[in-house]
């Protein structure tokens, strides 16, 4: 494919944005830290070479791997890589950790130049874009030949990584949209925590009461960073965010957009949620220093591994399902693939990458290190093992329980987001903020978003 064409398409379709459910600290391992950890892994290789019988006789292989996350994820993932090298001394890793911001911008540039790492952590938002531009490989052959074992993975979840018949991603975890709650703030306000039958009216009332009684944010974000919360809201009305062919929006009544944005504006006007300028400052703090984590806010929407990811910062966070519609036409929730590992099409070590991914998914040893930080493990055997192992923290057990209980409220999962999703997210963000800054009426913003989204979808799909 023509390099300029690839570059243009990727940079048009992969703009950076901050995703509540998948974000992380911008901190990453320094080059010196990576070199130090690589040297430590080399020492471990020497110490275990005489007793290890795994693949010690194999040809030397270096696997480049990249992922996003906060510092805690970086730390344990490096331990995971060191352990794999210990078991397989012929395999070493070049680790390229990153924060969420800018991750896919950099990945798109690498893909366009043919320099994408061998293994890339991939998100549901972007997998279609990379698959349809032939940047990530079809890994079905490694499932067919037994290198990757998906026997204990729900078939619907395993198939979530298939794009146009190509297995573009191996799903690593499952996740659900959630509302993370700081229990201390609720106690300070003297308000009972919500239960799974609460509505959006309840949500608005609670947010305002918390602010009135504590001066803190009832809800600590603006639900316009991307379309995930809006997607949930649309699904509650029995419609879909995108059409079946991904060439246009799937909902037809702009009142859905109007009501959703008016709800955000009502919270801001009541000072129960940060205004756009305040929220920009909050996002700059980093994931582990945002209001719900620090006790300066009561609630935020995120994904079901939210409390686990903040456990070292604040152990007093719990989860509840997002509010229901007042006259809910359908279940808005869906079981979402938490994230994937994909392998670049240009990789020269696809088989070794496949072996590592299989170990990541199916190994008890690996999952004792991961401990469900990336979400609920997809292997039923690993879930059972961790549940019975005594190794899970209270927050990890809570996550497992949350996913199990919330499953009854889930509808059919939507298809992976279409090509052009980052442009659509940007358009959604801009149109919502045009209302919040008083630059447009909400009705005009709804119309602008529809026209913009339909053009983006028709152009890319």
């Amino acid at each position: 494919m023509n390099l300029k064409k690839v570059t243009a398409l990727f940079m048009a379709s992969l703009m950076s944005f901050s995703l509540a459910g998948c974000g992380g600290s911008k901190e990453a391992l320094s080059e010196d830290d990576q070199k130090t950890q690589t040297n430590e892994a080399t020492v471990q290789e020497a110490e275990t070479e005489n007793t290890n019988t795994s693949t010690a006789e194999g040809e030397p292989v270096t696997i480049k791997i990249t992922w996003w996350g906060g510092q805690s994820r970086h730390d344990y993932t490096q331990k995971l890589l060191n352990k794999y090298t210990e078991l397989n001394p012929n395999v070493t890793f070049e680790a390229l950790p990153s924060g969420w911001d800018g991750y896919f911008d950099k990945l798109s540039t690498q893909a366009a130049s043919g320099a994408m790492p061998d293994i890339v952590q991939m998100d549901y938002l972007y997998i279609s874009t990379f698959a349809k531009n032939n940047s990530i490989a079809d890994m079905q052959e490694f499932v067919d030949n037994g290198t990757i074992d998906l026997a204990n993975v729900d078939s619907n979840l395993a198939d979530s990584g298939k794009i146009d018949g190509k297995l573009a991603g191996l799903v690593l975890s499952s996740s659900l949209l959630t509302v993370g709650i700081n229990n201390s703030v609720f106690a300070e306000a003297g308000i009972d925590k919500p239960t799974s039958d609460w509505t959006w009216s309840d949500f608005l009332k609670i947010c305002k009461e918390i602010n009135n009684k504590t001066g803190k944010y009832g809800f600590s974000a603006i639900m316009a960073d991307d379309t995930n919360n809006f997607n949930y809201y649309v699904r509650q009305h029995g419609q879909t965010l995108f059409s079946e062919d991904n060439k246009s929006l799937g909902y037809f009544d702009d009142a859905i957009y109007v009501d959703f944005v008016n709800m955000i504006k009502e919270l801001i006007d009541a000072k129960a949620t940060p205004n756009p300028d305040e929220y920009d400052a909050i996002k700059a703090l980093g994931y582990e220093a945002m209001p719900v984590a620090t006790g300066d806010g009561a609630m935020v929407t995120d994904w079901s591994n939210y409390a686990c990811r903040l456990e070292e910062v604040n152990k007093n966070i719990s989860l509840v399902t997002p509010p229901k519609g007042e006259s809910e036409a359908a279940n808005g929730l869906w079981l979402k693939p938490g994230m994937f590992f994909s392998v670049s099409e240009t990789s020269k070590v696809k088989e070794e990458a496949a072996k590592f991914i299989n170990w990541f998914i199916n190994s008890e040893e690996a999952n004792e290190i991961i401990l469900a930080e990336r979400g609920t493990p997809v292997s039923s055997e690993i879930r059972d093992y961790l549940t019975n192992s005594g190794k899970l923290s209270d927050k990890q057990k809570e996550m497992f329980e949350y996913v199990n209980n919330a499953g009854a409220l889930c509808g059919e999962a939507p298809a992976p987001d279409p090509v052009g999703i980052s442009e659509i997210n940007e358009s959604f963000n801009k149109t919502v903020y045009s209302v919040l800054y008083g630059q447009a009426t909400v009705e005009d913003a709804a119309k602008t978003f529809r026209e913009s989204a339909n053009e983006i979808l028709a152009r890319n799909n």
Side-chain angles (χ1 to χ4, degrees):
M1 181 178 291
N2 181 275
L3 180 60
K4 290 183 178 179
K5 182 177 179 182
V6 175
T7 304
L9 184 55
F10 268 86
M11 296 311 292
S13 63
L14 293 176
M15 304 290 290
S16 65
F17 71 98
S18 179
L19 181 63
C22 301
S25 161
K26 293 182 181 180
E27 295 176 352
L29 297 180
S30 69
E31 184 176 349
D32 289 339
D33 288 338
Q34 293 180 35
K35 289 179 179 178
T36 298
Q37 290 176 328
T38 300
N39 290 337
E40 291 173 353
T42 302
V43 172
Q44 289 176 334
E45 290 173 21
E47 292 174 346
T48 60
E49 187 171 4
N50 292 332
T51 59
N52 191 300
T53 60
S54 177
T55 56
E57 302 303 321
E59 292 295 322
V61 172
T62 298
I63 300 174
K64 292 184 179 181
I65 180 171
T66 188
W67 67 90
W68 72 81
Q71 191 59 47
S72 59
R73 179 177 293 174
H74 298 337
D75 291 344
Y76 87 75
T77 302
Q78 187 62 55
K79 291 179 182 177
L80 195 74
L81 302 182
N82 291 346
K83 172 57 68 174
Y84 191 81
T85 295
E86 177 184 329
L87 298 173
N88 303 274
N90 65 307
V91 179
T92 56
F93 293 91
E94 182 178 335
L96 303 165
S98 172
W100 171 264
D101 290 346
Y103 176 85
F104 283 97
D105 283 330
K106 183 175 181 180
L107 204 61
S108 65
T109 301
Q110 291 170 329
S113 63
M116 184 186 282
D118 301 295
I119 299 176
V120 296
Q121 188 170 287
M122 182 59 61
D123 189 78
Y124 208 44
L125 284 168
Y126 294 111
I127 191 170
S128 291
T129 299
F130 282 92
K132 291 183 178 181
N133 283 281
N134 298 315
S135 295
I136 47 182
D138 184 356
M139 298 299 286
Q140 187 62 48
E141 66 174 292
F142 298 106
V143 175
D144 294 341
N145 67 19
T147 303
I148 298 174
D149 181 8
L150 300 180
N152 295 311
V153 180
D154 179 82
S155 59
N156 290 327
L157 198 57
D159 287 346
S160 64
K162 287 187 175 179
I163 309 297
D164 295 337
K166 180 169 77 171
L167 187 58
L170 283 309
V171 63
L172 304 180
S173 61
S174 61
S175 187
L176 288 167
L177 198 65
T178 187
V179 174
I181 289 177
N182 186 304
N183 298 316
S184 298
V185 177
F186 269 81
E188 181 182 347
I191 297 173
D192 292 334
K193 292 185 296 182
T195 58
S196 60
D197 60 351
W198 67 327
T199 66
W200 286 109
S201 293
D202 297 327
F203 168 75
L204 287 167
K205 180 181 177 181
I206 290 171
C207 287
K208 293 175 184 177
E209 285 186 359
I210 286 174
N211 179 257
N212 288 336
K213 293 181 177 181
T214 69
K216 298 178 179 181
Y217 295 124
F219 188 79
S220 64
I222 294 177
M223 291 183 283
D225 286 328
D226 54 67
T227 53
N228 276 307
N229 288 294
F230 184 54
N231 193 352
Y232 171 71
Y233 194 76
V234 169
R235 285 167 58 87
Q236 288 181 317
H237 290 76
Q239 300 185 46
T240 60
L241 183 56
F242 303 113
S243 63
E244 189 173 347
D245 62 5
N246 285 333
K247 293 185 181 297
S248 66
L249 292 176
Y251 69 96
F252 303 102
D253 186 358
D254 279 344
I256 297 175
Y257 177 103
V258 170
D259 291 345
F260 185 79
V261 177
N262 276 337
M263 179 171 61
I264 296 173
K265 189 173 186 302
E266 183 177 344
L267 286 173
I268 292 174
D269 290 344
K271 302 186 185 305
T273 201
N275 64 41
D277 293 334
E278 291 169 339
Y279 187 44
D280 281 345
I282 287 170
K283 289 190 290 186
L285 296 173
Y287 189 76
E288 294 168 352
M290 289 185 175
V292 173
T294 61
D296 296 311
M299 296 182 287
V300 69
T301 49
D302 208 288
W303 300 97
S304 52
N305 62 341
Y306 177 69
C308 292
R309 285 167 30 224
L310 290 179
E311 189 168 13
E312 294 184 7
V313 177
N314 189 332
K315 297 182 182 298
N316 203 23
I317 293 174
S318 59
L319 310 175
V320 68
T321 51
K324 292 183 175 181
E326 304 302 324
S327 56
E328 194 169 4
N331 289 331
L333 278 177
W334 69 96
L335 188 64
K336 175 186 177 291
M339 58 191 69
F340 304 88
F341 270 152
S342 295
V343 177
S344 65
E345 185 61 64
T346 55
S347 173
K348 305 298 183 184
V349 292
K350 292 185 178 68
E351 183 175 2
E352 289 296 336
K355 291 177 182 178
F356 171 77
I357 294 171
N358 180 70
W359 182 76
F360 188 102
I361 293 172
N362 293 304
S363 166
E364 294 177 359
E365 194 166 27
N367 281 277
E368 285 180 359
I369 297 173
I370 301 166
L371 284 178
E373 186 274 341
R374 280 174 162 88
T376 307
V378 292
S379 166
S380 58
E381 282 197 355
I382 291 299
R383 290 198 300 272
D384 291 343
Y385 170 75
L386 290 177
T387 299
N388 297 321
S389 69
K391 296 180 181 296
L392 294 180
S393 69
D394 289 342
K395 290 304 170 187
Q396 289 160 340
K397 292 176 183 176
E398 185 178 338
M399 177 181 68
F400 279 38
E401 183 179 359
Y402 174 81
V403 172
N404 288 336
N405 293 339
L409 302 175
C410 287
E412 183 179 351
D417 287 315
V419 178
I421 184 61
S422 60
E423 285 186 84
I424 292 168
N425 282 322
E426 183 182 18
S427 175
F428 182 71
N429 180 275
K430 284 183 175 179
T431 57
V432 172
Y433 273 59
S434 72
V435 176
L436 302 183
Y437 278 121
Q439 299 166 340
T441 67
V442 66
E443 291 79 12
D444 286 344
K447 180 181 178 181
T448 299
F449 175 65
R450 177 173 295 281
E451 292 173 350
S452 172
N454 285 345
E455 185 279 325
I456 293 166
L457 290 164
R459 168 163 44 87
N460 285 284
N461 295 278

